[in-house]
Amino acid sequence: MVQTRSAPRLEPLIDRIRCDGYGICAELLPEMLELDDWGYPIMASAGVPADLVDYARRAVAGCPVLALRLRAQPAGQVQASLVPARPWRDRVRSAAGG
Amino acid sequence: MSDQILWFATRGAGVVSLLLFTAVVGLGILTVTRWQSSAWPRFLTVGLHRNLALLSVVFLVAHVVTAIVDPFTALGVVAAAIPFASSYRPFGVGLGVISLDLLLAIIVTSLVRERIGQRAWRAIHWAAYASWPLALSHGLLSGSDAAAPWMIVVDVACIALVTGALAWRIRAGGSHRSQLALVAGAGGRPGPQG
Amino acid sequence: MNTAGTSLDLLSGRSLAAGPETHDEHVARYGPLPGGGGPNDVIERLEASGLLGRGGAGFPVGRKWRTIAQRPSGGAVVLINGAEGEPWSAKDRAVMSVRPHALIDGLIVAAEAVGADEAVLYVGSGHRTARKVMTEALGQRRLPLPIRIVDAPERYVAGEESAAVHFINDGDARPTTVPPRPFERGIDGQPTLVQNVESLAYAGLIARSGGTASAGLVTIGGVPHAGVREVELGTSIGEIVSASGARREATQAILLGGYFGRWAPADSAWDLAYDPAELRAAGLTAGCGVIRVLGGAECGVEMTSQVMAYLAGQSAAQCGPCVFGLRAIADATERLARGMARDDDLARIERWGGQLVGRGACRHPDGAAGFLASALLTFGDEFQRHARTRRCGDAGRPARVA
């Protein structure tokens, strides 16, 4: 009998600061992303179903500003994390807040 | 004819490269202005932009290789690799070399974009605005067909498309980012009295 | 409100108008700061007391100190958060202006408990009296660690923990979302204890003599005798606001917690106990201690539109959903308040409000969404009346901006 170990579920994460409302992610993964009145994505659900993983990867690649990424859902967590992580290269001194 | 076939290939591949490159620049501008229609989604613009860029590299490589290999040209690998090192029209050919180098940098960084991060990628991508006019100038200054009427038509069309797209970009904008501070600040109030 | 137990006399016993307490007066009241007992004793006392952070998040103070104290090695920083960017809150300013030495005691106790070797006092740049009093008071004490004073920008989010650290490190007072959090890596990369002024002052008192965290500071507004009060937790909200002049029959609703807090109708709020845990169980929050009474002559729709306009303007302007969403909501609620609403304004406000949560890099839109939702619930009838009839209140007068 073959014991299968299920791969950890992936969840989409949006870097809300980097996101600039292109909306390509919602075109490529409409099952999980829709756009608000100003063209910014609303994430509809948490883990990516297995049959949508390829489309999710295409949505990640399609974003012109790399605002969308997929990460392994931490064990036991059902809710999509709302805290986007920014790569260390982006932790540069930003202009002082207005 | 057969001893000229490499020469024709070089010229043909060069023209096709320029046409594709022009389309790529146009599509890049179309991406950033977020244009779409009911029949043309934005992911199509992005996808075409990337795929045509890769295709243009194929023709560009063919253009360079046939030029080097052609026994009738004095161009060697050195001329193709080092700007202004060729003996034939060094300036014009040199511009082409620079254009090629910039394009390669853009393509390579785009392929490893997820590794190098958005900022580095974007900084190098701006080089596209230098690479395209360099490619056009290379053709005008060192292309065998530069004076031919059909080539002039092609050149004019490419220039028209890119300048038109640029004008469109300046007018239409695209990014919301510059508006964010403005919209947030507009009408911001001190808040109600205690 | 009784005064049993030393944890309940941070402010009482001396009029706020009498100016800052001197060090001698402070020592006369509490005695000198006891030196004995180790850091562990202090942290155990804080944990046993149940003291929760009073900056708005309500995180247990003892647990926060223990986490930082348990780091494997290296120094730490104590950040006294006196930014108090909440416009309706004045309690932190009151502590700094009138009981500076109680706060400094808290700092000393915290520094020893977590092994800090540096401190920062982060004061709202507009709170000049507080800054001046604290500067003088700090000069009168012999401190076990160096402290510097940093002026906090007068922005709503500047007091958020990661925003404070971000400002002190990089001059940018916007919250960050990158882990690690300040307690892991904060000021100059050191583990940083970010503690609200009131929390730290009470922690100092509890460290001396134990007991439960049975008192808290509130800023009461919209009443004849508005101002900062020290209350015994568990007192009913009605009793608290009545002591400041509110009358039940003249009260429509009460806002608890400030602009990121929740409205409650007067009837349900009046007999509710003012206790952080009980409030949360009731779907409300103590937040930063603001209690704002909405009187009979005031309009909940109008108040909501003013707060939303303020919050929209206070966005860090980094994320589209927050900037455009809050702006649209502010504009629509203003139209409603003025009796100039478009047909679908109310429906769109509800839809946009529901789309705010989790769609920004920080919790600003979330806080605004919570406030808005509670306003739509509490003042639902009034919103409907403004939308359909363009009139305000039971008297049916034309809706207009005050």
Side-chain angles (χ1 to χ4, degrees):
Chain A
M1 183 158 104
V2 176
Q3 190 98 11
T4 48
R5 192 164 49 93
S6 60
R9 281 267 279 235
L10 293 172
E11 60 178 3
L13 275 184
I14 297 175
D15 183 328
R16 294 292 181 178
I17 295 175
R18 197 184 278 176
C19 173
D20 204 6
Y22 279 92
I24 290 170
C25 57
E27 286 175 352
L28 292 172
L29 196 61
E31 294 88 348
M32 298 186 69
L33 295 158
E34 57 179 358
L35 300 178
D36 68 13
D37 291 12
W38 300 277
Y40 293 89
I42 302 173
M43 282 202 304
S45 56
V48 181
D51 57 338
L52 290 180
V53 169
D54 281 343
Y55 294 107
R57 291 200 199 283
R58 271 184 244 179
V60 169
C63 178
V65 292
L66 278 187
L68 181 68
R69 58 186 207 99
L70 294 172
R71 75 151 186 213
Q73 210 168 31
Q77 189 173 332
V78 259
Q79 209 40 38
S81 165
L82 302 173
V83 179
R86 300 165 75 191
W88 66 268
R89 292 163 197 86
D90 286 324
R91 284 190 224 148
V92 294
R93 180 189 292 251
S94 39
Chain B
M1 175 67 177
S2 61
D3 57 354
Q4 289 191 315
I5 199 154
L6 285 173
W7 187 35
F8 286 133
T10 301
R11 291 151 64 192
V15 175
V16 173
S17 255
L18 179 66
L19 286 168
L20 286 173
F21 199 359
T22 301
V24 167
V25 171
L27 286 165
I29 291 173
L30 212 61
T31 301
V32 92
T33 56
R34 293 160 172 72
W35 186 83
Q36 65 178 344
S37 79
S38 51
W40 186 292
R42 289 174 184 161
F43 78 78
L44 181 54
T45 306
V46 166
L48 265 182
H49 171 78
R50 293 173 182 171
N51 289 340
L52 288 185
L54 292 173
L55 191 62
S56 78
V57 170
V58 171
F59 281 92
L60 195 50
V61 167
H63 169 74
V64 171
V65 166
T66 54
I68 293 172
V69 162
D70 191 340
F72 288 99
T73 69
L75 296 167
V77 177
V78 170
I82 300 174
F84 316 120
S86 89
S87 48
Y88 171 74
R89 302 199 183 182
F91 187 65
V93 172
L95 293 183
V97 173
I98 297 173
S99 174
L100 169 67
D101 290 340
L102 291 175
L103 189 60
L104 284 179
I106 292 167
I107 301 278
V108 167
T109 50
S110 295
L111 290 172
V112 297
R113 186 167 65 126
E114 293 194 22
R115 283 183 208 281
I116 64 170
Q118 181 68 8
R119 279 182 203 265
W121 172 86
R122 200 178 154 84
I124 295 189
H125 221 75
W126 278 96
Y129 283 123
S131 182
W132 180 85
L134 286 172
L136 186 81
S137 308
H138 162 75
L140 290 173
L141 293 176
S142 55
S144 312
D145 303 293
W150 61 268
M151 190 65 222
I152 292 173
V153 169
V154 168
D155 285 331
V156 167
C158 290
I159 293 170
L161 196 144
V162 170
T163 49
L166 275 174
W168 160 260
R169 175 171 185 181
I170 291 165
R171 229 175 48 88
S175 166
H176 283 162
R177 191 161 302 288
S178 50
Q179 294 175 46
L180 288 182
L182 202 67
V183 172
R189 303 280 165 71
Q193 296 306 307
Chain C
M1 285 172 259
N2 64 57
T3 54
T6 52
S7 62
L8 189 64
D9 55 4
L10 184 59
L11 290 190
S12 60
R14 181 192 164 91
S15 161
L16 296 187
E21 195 171 55
T22 65
H23 190 205
D24 291 338
E25 288 163 330
H26 170 80
V27 169
R29 216 143 75 95
Y30 299 110
L33 193 58
N40 200 51
D41 285 351
V42 165
I43 293 176
E44 278 179 0
R45 279 189 185 168
L46 282 177
E47 287 171 329
S49 74
L51 178 65
L52 301 176
R54 300 283 170 80
F59 195 84
V61 173
R63 194 187 328 161
K64 206 181 213 182
W65 292 22
R66 187 176 286 288
T67 307
I68 294 179
Q70 280 178 345
R71 69 187 178 283
S73 65
V77 182
V78 175
L79 195 172
I80 308 173
N81 194 349
E84 195 156 55
E86 180 79 47
W88 279 341
S89 179
K91 65 177 177 73
D92 295 331
R93 269 173 279 170
V95 171
M96 288 189 279
S97 307
V98 174
R99 297 285 184 272
H101 292 284
L103 176 59
I104 296 171
D105 278 2
L107 164 67
I108 294 172
V109 164
E112 285 174 7
V114 304
D117 43 19
E118 194 195 335
V120 178
L121 172 61
Y122 184 61
V123 190
S125 57
H127 307 331
R128 292 190 201 95
T129 306
R131 194 193 199 284
K132 177 166 165 293
V133 169
M134 282 304 298
T135 308
E136 285 171 9
L138 285 165
Q140 294 164 10
R141 301 287 289 265
R142 213 176 42 236
L143 297 170
L145 75 177
I147 182 168
R148 54 186 159 123
I149 301 182
V150 174
D151 287 320
E154 288 183 85
R155 301 280 301 174
Y156 192 71
V157 294
E160 195 269 334
E161 155 174 297
S162 70
V165 169
H166 195 193
F167 180 76
I168 291 166
N169 281 343
D170 300 327
D172 179 354
R174 287 182 292 190
T176 60
T177 55
V178 190
R181 303 300 305 162
F183 71 88
E184 294 172 299
R185 274 171 55 88
I187 294 173
D188 298 329
Q190 304 268 65
T192 303
L193 172 65
V194 183
Q195 201 76 74
N196 170 261
V197 160
E198 181 196 344
S199 316
L200 207 50
Y202 277 120
L205 294 183
I206 290 169
R208 285 168 173 274
S209 43
T212 53
S214 57
L217 301 183
V218 296
T219 316
I220 307 176
V223 293
H225 308 294
V228 177
R229 302 274 181 278
E230 186 169 27
V231 303
E232 183 183 0
L233 298 182
T235 310
S236 76
I237 293 171
E239 188 183 333
I240 292 173
V241 299
S242 301
S244 292
R247 290 178 305 118
R248 186 169 187 159
E249 63 276 11
T251 301
Q252 288 185 55
I254 300 178
L255 175 70
L256 297 164
Y259 290 173
F260 280 0
R262 300 282 183 277
W263 286 103
D267 285 339
S268 38
W270 206 263
D271 300 314
L272 214 52
Y274 188 77
D275 171 83
E278 286 192 44
L279 287 176
R280 202 166 307 137
L284 303 168
T285 176
C288 60
V290 166
I291 301 178
R292 173 59 160 91
V293 168
L294 192 76
E298 296 182 284
C299 173
V301 176
E302 168 62 29
M303 184 68 73
T304 301
S305 93
Q306 289 180 357
V307 172
M308 294 309 295
Y310 172 80
L311 290 176
Q314 291 290 311
S315 166
Q318 298 187 102
C319 308
C322 173
V323 169
F324 293 108
L326 289 184
R327 173 57 44 209
I329 291 170
D331 290 346
T333 49
E334 182 174 349
R335 286 194 294 272
L336 272 168
R338 288 176 191 256
M340 294 174 357
R342 301 174 193 162
D343 286 343
D344 48 1
D345 266 344
L346 189 52
R348 287 203 283 178
I349 288 169
E350 286 171 353
R351 181 164 59 86
W352 290 329
Q355 290 175 348
L356 285 173
V357 175
R359 298 226 297 137
C362 76
R363 298 283 81 88
H364 189 76
D366 299 46
F371 175 89
L372 178 67
S374 75
L376 290 172
L377 197 61
T378 304
F379 306 116
D381 291 344
E382 198 55 41
F383 273 97
Q384 289 288 346
R385 184 170 16 224
H386 276 250
R388 285 184 287 105
T389 71
R390 298 167 195 270
R391 298 204 160 263
C392 176
D394 292 328
R397 58 178 183 272
R400 80 284 180 265
V401 172

